[in-house]
Amino acid sequence: MFFITFEGIDQSGKSTQLDLLAHAFQSAGLSFLSVREPGDTALGEAIRKLLLGPEHGGMDRWAETLLYAAARAQLVADVIRPALAEGNLVLCDRYIDSSLVYQGIARGLGVERVLDLNMSATGGLMPDLTFVFHLDVESSRSRLAGRQAGRDRIESEPLEFHRLVEAGYRQLEEKYPERIVGIDGSLAASEIHGRVLGECRRRLGI
Ligand code: TYD
């Protein structure tokens, strides 16, 4: 049982890297489960719509934080803990660190207060390993501009918000040096994948 999370600003390439690692685990015959936040339970998907839809523009910071935590609590209880208990590896696209950075730092609620809330919501489940993909905000914006889909409520936040998010991930990397591995998201996807695989091999002994 090993819990790996993928973090970074929008367009940092984290979801692509999660998929590449999932393929590698599949080829190696490892049993794993991959999930994303917010969502992947019926309640979580309903909360995702509330959080990301443009219709709740004036959402209070704590209301937002509690909704992310509620979706997370359900996902941990229904999916992540049972999968880990059955001996699976679990890969998750965003987790607690997203709340620490987006709500704790960028929204200004404080890392410790958001951490406390999330520790209660998840029964203290922290990842064993977290990859953070760093990308400067300008590159993130130009990748976003090339995408077909419209922007969600968080993506529509001003540049300054996203700068705080990127800086926040660097702060977290210093706070959790054992758990968090930072990788330059501007490198070629294949090179990044090599680093991710190397780190998993080292930590999991596979
Ligand atoms: P999503 O479409 O999943 O974005 P991405 O592909 O970048 O992961 O939308 C999730 C958005 O919600 C994303 O902009 C980050 C934000 N978010 C928070 O603000 N706090 C959180 O705890 C989580 C999990 C996500």
Side-chain angles (χ1 to χ4, degrees), residues 6-174:
F6 292 71
E7 297 279 353
I9 60 172
D10 301 310
Q11 307 301 312
S12 60
K14 65 182 170 46
S15 311
T16 304
Q17 290 302 325
L18 188 155
D19 288 345
L20 289 171
L21 187 63
H23 275 110
F25 281 174
Q26 202 161 16
S27 308
L30 296 170
S31 65
F32 70 95
L33 183 81
S34 96
V35 287
R36 66 141 191 209
E37 277 210 3
D40 271 346
T41 64
L43 179 66
E45 290 298 328
I47 293 174
R48 181 183 179 86
K49 287 202 182 89
L50 293 175
L51 279 165
L52 299 183
E55 61 276 22
H56 299 293
M59 192 180 293
D60 174 77
R61 301 181 293 174
W62 272 112
E64 179 181 276
T65 306
L66 290 159
L67 285 171
Y68 279 113
R72 182 166 299 132
Q74 198 69 38
L75 184 65
V76 166
D78 285 2
V79 183
I80 298 179
R81 278 196 189 278
L84 290 170
E86 282 169 17
N88 295 290
L89 291 152
V90 174
L91 307 179
C92 192
D93 190 341
R94 296 196 182 279
Y95 188 63
I96 280 180
D97 296 307
S98 283
S99 284
L100 300 185
V101 168
Y102 282 80
Q103 282 69 49
I105 295 173
R107 295 278 194 232
L109 292 179
V111 169
E112 294 308 320
R113 289 205 289 171
V114 175
L115 181 60
D116 280 354
L117 167 74
N118 276 277
M119 287 291 99
S120 301
T122 63
L125 181 71
M126 286 299 274
D128 298 297
L129 171 63
T130 298
F131 292 105
V132 170
F133 302 98
H134 294 293
L135 190 67
D136 63 83
V137 173
E138 286 69 25
S139 307
S140 157
R141 292 288 102 172
S142 63
R143 288 184 185 182
L144 198 59
R147 202 185 57 171
Q148 289 302 314
R151 294 186 184 188
D152 65 38
R153 195 179 56 87
I154 304 279
E155 285 166 349
S156 307
E157 289 290 338
L159 270 189
E160 192 43 41
F161 177 85
H162 295 283
R163 283 209 179 88
L164 288 172
V165 170
E166 172 52 23
Y169 274 122
R170 292 187 188 274
Q171 236 172 282
L172 277 197
E173 213 177 307
E174 280 173 26

